[in-house]
């Protein structure tokens, strides 16, 4: 194992490999920053390029680009309220209010630190788990996956800063939207209205951008002001960014816990990376003494999701390398990359090419660090965007949104749906709905349904009694009751 | 001025001669039309799954070579959704100009049509088949963690659980056929994400049994993660030469053997290039010729082999006949039985 680590280090240290790493990282950051262009799009565009590259270098190229997309995505999420990639949506809930208060630089610094540290933690876990990857993946079956999804759903209630009922209604509506299209178990198309696009249901990126980006754009254009409210502190100093950076570094346990959440959810194939930042966010809110400030500009609400959405990449590599089972849709593309260069992940791969596996892990870590360094350097210039007048900013952003949404599947229908959801987003925002809860319901409900069906078909209701499933449900209950427990403990102490 | 009879006769001969020449030159002129049509245009190959998958891989191997033959730009466009359905719908409802092709799961298209899958807009009889790229036999395997250790165990078992991804997914339907032919007490659990997700479930022991194409199954069986039981075919597969066919491994009832043959026939259209119904015949001929040349080019075959993809070419016209035959085999009552077995009986 140690030999492989050393070999892996040697691979990464090779000058050509480093050059690819730098180029790929920069590409990934740009893709992250541009809204609508996500890691998936980056991978899809870069995939054909690696044909002919030396296997390790080609894969490192892909991974480096993908690993840092969420780092770049935090920039637009915080400064513009537009998620650069779907997994950055949780960041804007607190990050954007901070930008409006003139604390955009601080939020950015915190997000970058969290992303970098989270990404590295994810890699550390990957390397630790490399020798025992297969037994780990084998432990989690459909019942365990179902319980994890339930855990995610219960956290939905903890996402709103308004009352629980509104959160649940919003989540319910999101679940309803999630049911459109082919049902995974029975193959029955629901609500497709004889319209081919809807056979596959609503798509995530048009929904996320429509719900979150369009309302902000409308406000920007209509208000005539800037993002950072006039009257908020002017002048974005480098000091702000470093202040945020230091805050994140000091919140050791928060970062560690959020990264763990990201890694675990990343390891389970089938849950999807969009969930982990929300679970981390909800968990941070539950345990933070300043839970009420979440949603209004709490820096913990930026640190938690950003740690998770970078650490999940390390986790997602686990089933991908161990079995060739993609831990996320991006990993499915990466798998394609493996085949393209003539490799095949799986037990034999780990035996023969452990050094490549290690070098991939190290690539992710290095890319994360590099992205943070680059973005820190330009952070205060980026943050200056919050000072630009709305009527100048809005049209450019609109163009970016349209291009980004279109590029996902070369589909103008996607763009139309984004605008449709934009209307919905504006209405929901005015009505005080909980849009994050809606998004989470949309992502999780079909998963819950599928894994429940499978678990019941395989084992009947006794699947709930499996040890890991019980453990996860127990943790969920604990997390739900934690605020009450903490209050009782305080009373007992005083 | 009146012409003499002799001039009329000569004129008639010349006219006939010209007509004959025109007739003889016509096919060449059409071929030239088609070539001229494609020159400089952009041809799209649709793929109904994300980049990196099997169908995508073949399409990307073919594209540059086809571009040279057609003297056109050939791009691959991924349109995942509905297990490839969305892309096929797009193809058949698009313009019939021959500029849009698709690398399709032919057997998926046939199975979806046979089982009346909601949302399917095509008729495989009307699809223009340009050529088959690859076809593999299906392998039946068990989990190493299952209580069932052999085919005989399966025959006696009270219940055998299978993994699959969904109805008419080329996994669940084969499982249904095997179960019906051997009289197994099967329960097919659908909903797993992709062939890999389904294979992982069997590896974990969540279910007992599954079906995969021979190259995918061979890798897992050779590494000991899965236990090969039989090839669902009359002939063995070169990927696993020691694995018996289902006919060798057990006694297949004579009156039910046709099910295996029928499903195998559908499997012959596993991966194929198609284009929109209604494309002019000369362009179809031109495309078929070009694709045939690409898929039989030793350099292309070798390139594919390096990427672990085997090409087993069948010309488009023959493939169309295979599809026609397969569908004619099941009509009326038999079709109802097929639908019942493949969609309802074991789910």
């Amino acid at each position: 194992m140690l030999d492989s680590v050393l070999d892996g280090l040697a691979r990464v240290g090779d000058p050509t490999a480093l050059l690819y790493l730098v180029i790929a990282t920069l590409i990934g950051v740009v893709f992250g920053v541009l809204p609508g262009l996500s890691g998936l799009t980056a991978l899809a565009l870069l995939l054909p390029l690696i044909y002919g590259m030396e296997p390790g270098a080609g894969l490192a190229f892909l991974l480096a680009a993908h690993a840092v997309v969420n780092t770049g995505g935090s920039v637009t999420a915080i400064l513009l309220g537009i998620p650069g990639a779907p997994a950055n949506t949780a960041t804007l809930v607190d990050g954007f209010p901070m930008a409006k208060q003139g604390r955009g630089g601080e939020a950015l610094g915190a997000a970058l630190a969290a992303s970098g540290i989270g990404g590295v933690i994810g890699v550390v876990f990957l390397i630790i788990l490399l020798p025992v990857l297969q037994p780990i993946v084998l432990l989690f079956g459909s019942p365990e996956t179902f319980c994890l999804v339930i855990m995610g759903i219960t956290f939905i209630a903890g996402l709103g800063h308004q009352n629980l009922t509104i959160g649940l209604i919003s989540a319910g509506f999101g679940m309803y939207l999630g049911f459109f299209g082919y049902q995974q178990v029975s193959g029955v198309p629901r609500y497709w209205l004889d319209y081919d696009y809807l056979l596959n249901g609503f798509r995530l990126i048009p929904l996320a951008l429509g719900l979150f980006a369009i309302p902000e754009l409308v406000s920007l254009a209509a208000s005539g002001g800037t993002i950072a409210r006039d009257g908020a502190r002017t002048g974005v100093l480098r000091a702000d960014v470093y202040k945020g950076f230091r805050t994140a570094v000091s919140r050791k346990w928060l970062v560690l816990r959020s990264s763990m959440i990201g890694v675990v959810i990343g390891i389970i194939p089938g849950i999807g990376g969009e969930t982990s930042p929300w679970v981390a966010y909800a968990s941070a809110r539950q345990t933070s003494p300043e839970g009420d400030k979440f949603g209004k500009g709490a820096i913990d609400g930026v640190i938690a999701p950003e740690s998770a959405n970078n650490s999940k990449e390390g986790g997602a590599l686990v089933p991908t390398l161990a079995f060739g089972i993609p831990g996320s849709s991006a990993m499915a593309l990466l798998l394609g990359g493996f085949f393209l260069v003539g490799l095949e992940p799986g037990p034999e791969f780990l035996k023969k090419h452990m050094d490549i596996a290690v070098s991939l892990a190290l690539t992710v870590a290095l890319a994360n660090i590099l992205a943070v360094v680059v973005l820190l350097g330009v952070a205060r210039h980026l943050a200056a965007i919050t000072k630009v007048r709305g009527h100048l900013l809005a049209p450019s952003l609109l163009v970016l949104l349209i291009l980004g949404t279109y590029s996902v599947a070369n589909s103008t229908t996607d763009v139309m749906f984004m605008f449709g959801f934009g209307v919905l987003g504006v209405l929901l925002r005015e009505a005080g709905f909980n849009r994050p809860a809606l998004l989470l319901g949309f992502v999780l409900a079909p998963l819950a349904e599928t894994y429940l069906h499978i678990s019941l078909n395989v084992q009947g209701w006794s699947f709930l009694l499996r040890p890991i499933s019980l453990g996860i449900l127990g943790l969920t209950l604990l997390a739900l009751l934690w605020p009450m427990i903490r209050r009782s403990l305080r009373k007992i102490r005083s | 001025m009146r012409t003499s009879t002799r001039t009329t006769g000569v004129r008639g001969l010349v006219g006939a001669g010209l007509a004959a020449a025109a007739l003889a030159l016509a096919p060449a002129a059409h071929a030239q039309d088609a070539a001229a049509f494609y020159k400089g245009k952009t041809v799209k190959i649709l793929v109904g799954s994300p980049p990196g998958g099997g169908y995508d891989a073949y399409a990307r191997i073919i594209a540059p070579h086809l571009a040279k033959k057609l003297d056109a730009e050939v791009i691959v466009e991924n349109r995942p959704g509905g297990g490839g359905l969305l892309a096929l719908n797009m193809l058949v409802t698009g313009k019939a100009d021959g500029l849009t092709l698709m690398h399709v799961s032919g057997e998926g298209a046939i199975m979806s049509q046979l089982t009346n899958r909601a949302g399917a807009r095509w008729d495989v009889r009307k699809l223009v088949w340009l050529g088959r790229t690859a076809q593999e036999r299906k392998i039946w395997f068990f989990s190493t963690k299952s209580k069932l250790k052999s085919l005989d165990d399966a025959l006696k078992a009270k219940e055998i659980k299978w993994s699959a991804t969904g109805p008419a997914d080329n996994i669940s339907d084969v499982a249904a056929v095997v179960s019906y032919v051997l009289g197994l007490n099967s329960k097919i659990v659908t909903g797993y994400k992709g062939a890999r997700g389904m294979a992982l479930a069997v590896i974990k022991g969540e279910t007992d049994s599954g079906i995969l194409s021979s190259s995918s199954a061979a890798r897992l069986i050779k590494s000991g993660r899965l236990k090969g039981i039989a090839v669902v075919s009359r002939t063995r597969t070169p990927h696993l030469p020691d694995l018996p066919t289902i006919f060798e491994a057990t006694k297949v009832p004579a009156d039910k053997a046709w099910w295996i043959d029928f499903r195998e026939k559908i499997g012959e259209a596993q991966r194929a290039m198609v284009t929109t119904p209604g494309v002019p015949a000369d362009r179809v001929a031109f495309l078929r010729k070009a694709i045939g040349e690409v898929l039989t080019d030793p350099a292309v075959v070798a390139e594919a082999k390096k990427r672990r993809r085997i090409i087993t070419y069948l010309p488009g016209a023959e493939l169309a006949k295979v599809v026609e035959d397969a569908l004619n085999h099941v009509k009326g009552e038999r079709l109802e039985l097929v639908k019942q077995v493949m969609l309802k009986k074991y789910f």
Side-chain angles (χ1 to χ4, degrees):
Chain A
M1 179 68 201
L2 189 59
D3 299 330
S4 314
V5 175
L6 292 173
D7 287 334
L9 272 169
R11 277 181 164 273
V12 177
D14 173 62
T16 331
L18 277 177
L19 182 66
Y20 281 144
L21 185 99
V22 170
I23 297 175
T25 307
L26 291 174
I27 295 178
V29 165
V30 170
F31 266 81
V33 168
L34 295 175
L37 291 179
S38 66
L40 269 178
T41 323
L43 280 178
L45 287 175
L46 295 174
L47 196 67
L49 295 178
I50 72 168
Y51 183 45
M53 275 193 204
E54 191 263 322
L59 292 171
F61 186 71
L62 287 181
L63 256 186
H66 175 73
V68 299
V69 164
N70 291 123
T71 315
S74 61
V75 173
T76 31
I78 291 171
L79 298 177
L80 300 171
I82 297 177
N88 292 109
T89 316
T91 314
L92 64 82
V93 175
D94 271 278
F96 191 50
M98 283 180 78
K100 286 198 253 194
Q101 293 159 18
R103 294 161 64 206
E106 194 185 331
L108 206 49
L112 290 175
S115 295
I117 301 176
V120 172
I121 292 182
V123 166
V124 166
F125 268 95
L126 175 62
I127 295 187
I128 294 178
L129 292 176
L130 267 174
V132 293
L133 278 184
Q134 280 129 45
I136 301 273
V137 178
L138 289 175
L139 274 179
F140 285 87
S142 303
E144 287 72 33
T145 311
F146 172 69
C147 292
L148 276 173
V149 175
I150 291 296
M151 183 170 83
I153 290 185
T154 57
F155 282 152
I156 289 178
L159 282 177
H161 48 269
Q162 314 98 326
N163 64 67
L164 185 62
T165 317
I166 293 210
L168 289 175
I169 295 178
S170 310
F173 184 48
M175 289 185 183
Y176 166 70
L177 291 178
F179 287 141
F180 280 62
Y182 277 116
Q183 203 268 348
Q184 200 164 317
V185 175
S186 64
V188 171
R190 293 173 172 160
Y191 308 131
W192 67 295
L193 308 174
D194 210 28
Y195 181 51
D196 283 6
Y197 178 89
L198 285 179
L199 279 174
N200 227 22
F202 296 117
R203 317 295 156 88
L204 179 62
I205 290 189
L207 180 67
L209 289 180
L211 276 184
F212 291 95
I214 300 276
E216 295 311 320
L217 212 64
V218 168
S219 299
L220 254 189
S223 71
T226 59
I227 291 174
R229 295 287 127 83
D230 300 317
R233 273 172 40 245
T234 49
V236 182
L237 302 166
R238 186 182 285 163
D240 277 348
V241 174
Y242 284 138
K243 176 174 169 215
F245 193 93
R246 277 197 305 272
T247 315
V249 172
S250 70
R251 293 271 205 275
K252 289 190 284 283
W253 290 120
L254 176 65
V255 171
L256 187 63
R257 197 176 60 234
S258 310
S259 304
M260 290 295 307
I261 290 176
V263 168
V264 169
I265 294 188
I267 291 182
I268 317 296
I271 296 204
E274 291 83 28
T275 334
S276 48
W278 292 111
V279 177
Y281 180 88
S283 152
R285 185 161 178 264
Q286 294 281 68
T287 51
S288 165
E290 297 180 329
D292 315 318
K293 294 225 186 87
F294 272 61
K296 301 189 192 119
I299 204 166
D300 284 357
V302 169
I303 296 173
E306 279 302 314
S307 311
N309 67 26
N310 280 69
S311 67
K312 69 170 165 60
E313 294 309 321
L317 274 174
V318 169
T320 314
L321 291 177
F323 282 108
I325 309 282
S328 64
S329 29
M331 285 296 145
L333 281 177
L334 186 73
L335 263 182
F338 270 90
F339 292 129
L340 211 60
V341 296
L343 286 175
E344 175 147 11
E348 301 83 49
F349 171 79
L350 287 176
K351 270 192 227 130
K352 270 194 289 178
H353 299 287
M354 183 60 97
D355 57 331
I356 294 188
V358 171
S359 77
L360 289 178
L362 292 173
T363 303
V364 172
L366 276 179
N368 266 290
I369 297 175
L370 181 62
V372 171
V373 166
V374 166
L375 284 173
L376 271 181
V378 297
R380 68 192 157 96
H381 302 289
L382 291 172
I385 224 173
T386 55
K387 303 286 176 203
V388 177
R389 289 268 148 205
H391 60 263
L392 291 175
L393 200 54
S396 327
L397 287 180
L398 188 61
V399 171
L400 275 180
L401 282 179
I402 294 175
L403 282 178
T405 310
Y406 177 77
S407 71
V408 175
N410 284 354
S411 162
T412 44
T413 323
D414 275 343
V415 178
M416 274 168 26
F417 271 91
M418 178 188 70
F419 281 113
F421 286 124
V423 172
L424 184 68
V426 171
L427 292 171
L428 290 178
R429 191 180 60 169
E430 295 311 304
F433 265 66
N434 187 341
R435 286 169 292 156
L438 196 157
L439 196 65
L440 211 53
F442 173 77
V443 170
L444 288 179
L447 292 175
E449 191 189 5
T450 303
Y451 288 112
L452 179 62
H453 269 287
I454 293 180
S455 303
L456 286 177
N457 276 332
V458 166
Q459 204 173 340
W461 285 104
S462 66
F463 83 84
L464 288 169
L465 298 174
R466 287 159 64 111
I468 300 188
S469 301
L470 265 183
I472 296 173
L473 289 175
L475 273 175
T476 309
L477 208 58
L478 190 66
L480 274 176
L481 299 173
W482 183 245
M484 271 187 266
I485 297 176
R486 194 174 54 206
R487 273 197 293 266
S488 325
L489 283 175
R490 274 202 212 119
K491 279 205 201 114
I492 294 174
R493 277 199 213 122
S494 64
Chain B
M1 193 169 86
R2 244 181 298 143
T3 48
S4 69
T5 14
R6 210 175 55 165
T7 357
T8 331
V10 171
R11 273 211 203 118
L13 268 174
V14 171
L18 279 173
L23 234 64
L25 285 170
H30 273 285
Q32 269 198 313
D33 284 340
F37 171 75
Y38 280 104
K39 196 179 169 76
K41 294 241 178 35
T42 305
V43 172
K44 231 185 335 192
I45 303 183
L46 290 175
V47 172
S49 46
Y55 290 92
D56 178 71
Y58 281 98
R60 289 186 193 272
I61 294 173
I62 293 173
H65 300 279
L66 192 61
K68 279 193 221 126
K69 298 270 178 204
L70 297 180
D71 199 10
E73 195 194 345
V74 176
I75 55 173
V76 174
E77 191 174 291
N78 298 84
R79 292 271 184 169
L85 256 193
L86 238 56
L88 190 50
N89 273 1
M90 260 186 80
L91 179 81
V92 300
T93 53
K95 260 191 358 182
D97 52 11
L99 288 176
T100 311
L101 315 177
M102 180 169 170
H103 189 229
V104 72
S105 165
E107 61 176 351
I110 298 173
M111 286 312 305
S112 299
Q113 187 174 336
L114 272 181
T115 54
N116 280 8
R117 183 138 189 231
R121 292 193 193 278
W122 60 84
D123 181 351
V124 290
R125 287 192 181 95
K126 301 213 185 83
L127 266 185
V128 177
W129 299 88
L130 298 172
R132 178 179 73 200
T133 52
Q135 169 231 356
E136 290 177 10
R137 295 172 188 74
K138 303 276 190 288
I139 307 282
W140 179 15
F141 53 82
F142 279 179
S143 168
T144 52
K145 303 205 170 140
S146 166
K147 274 185 273 184
L148 308 169
K149 301 289 174 207
S150 69
L151 205 156
D152 291 321
D153 282 350
L155 291 171
K156 288 185 245 147
K158 258 197 296 190
E159 187 178 58
I160 160 174
K161 290 208 173 70
W162 304 68
S163 297
T165 63
D169 61 349
N170 307 320
I171 297 174
S172 65
D173 44 295
V174 179
V177 165
V178 169
S179 305
Y180 187 68
V181 166
L182 298 180
L184 305 175
N185 298 316
S186 291
K187 181 162 174 61
I188 303 180
V189 180
T190 51
Y192 290 100
K193 202 157 181 204
R196 288 176 187 277
M198 161 252 151
L200 187 60
V202 183
I203 292 175
K204 283 185 198 169
E206 196 162 289
T207 52
D208 303 300
S209 177
I211 302 275
L212 274 180
S213 297
S214 44
S215 57
S216 319
R219 280 195 287 269
L220 293 167
I221 292 174
K222 282 191 200 146
S223 65
R225 314 223 121 236
L226 290 175
K227 188 166 167 178
I229 297 293
V231 186
V232 186
S233 160
R234 293 249 180 210
T235 50
R236 297 194 177 191
T237 168
H239 286 111
L240 287 164
D242 297 328
L243 191 66
T245 69
I246 193 170
F247 291 93
E248 291 166 344
T250 184
K251 184 151 180 11
V252 173
D255 61 333
K256 296 226 175 79
W258 70 267
W259 282 87
I260 309 270
D261 297 324
F262 164 65
R263 188 56 187 78
E264 197 176 357
K265 201 143 193 84
I266 294 182
E268 287 199 35
Q270 186 185 10
R271 299 193 202 266
M273 294 289 291
V274 294
T275 188
T276 320
V279 172
D282 61 325
R283 292 183 205 167
V284 172
F286 188 62
L287 284 172
R288 279 180 172 169
K289 184 160 173 290
I291 287 178
E293 285 169 8
V294 169
L295 290 173
T296 48
D297 181 350
V300 178
V301 174
E303 180 189 331
K305 198 148 184 226
K306 250 200 326 180
R307 295 214 230 166
R308 308 214 194 186
R309 304 279 171 195
I310 312 291
I311 295 184
T312 42
Y313 171 66
L314 187 70
E318 291 178 44
L319 187 56
K321 200 164 174 311
V322 166
V323 172
E324 186 75 38
D325 281 345
L327 285 176
N328 287 338
H329 208 68
V330 284
K331 283 197 173 128
E333 220 177 71
R334 214 173 228 198
L335 180 59
E336 287 312 307
L337 178 62
V338 166
K339 283 201 274 201
Q340 164 72 4
V341 166
M342 289 192 175
L343 283 184
K344 295 212 180 58
K345 192 169 160 72
Y346 300 104
F347 296 83

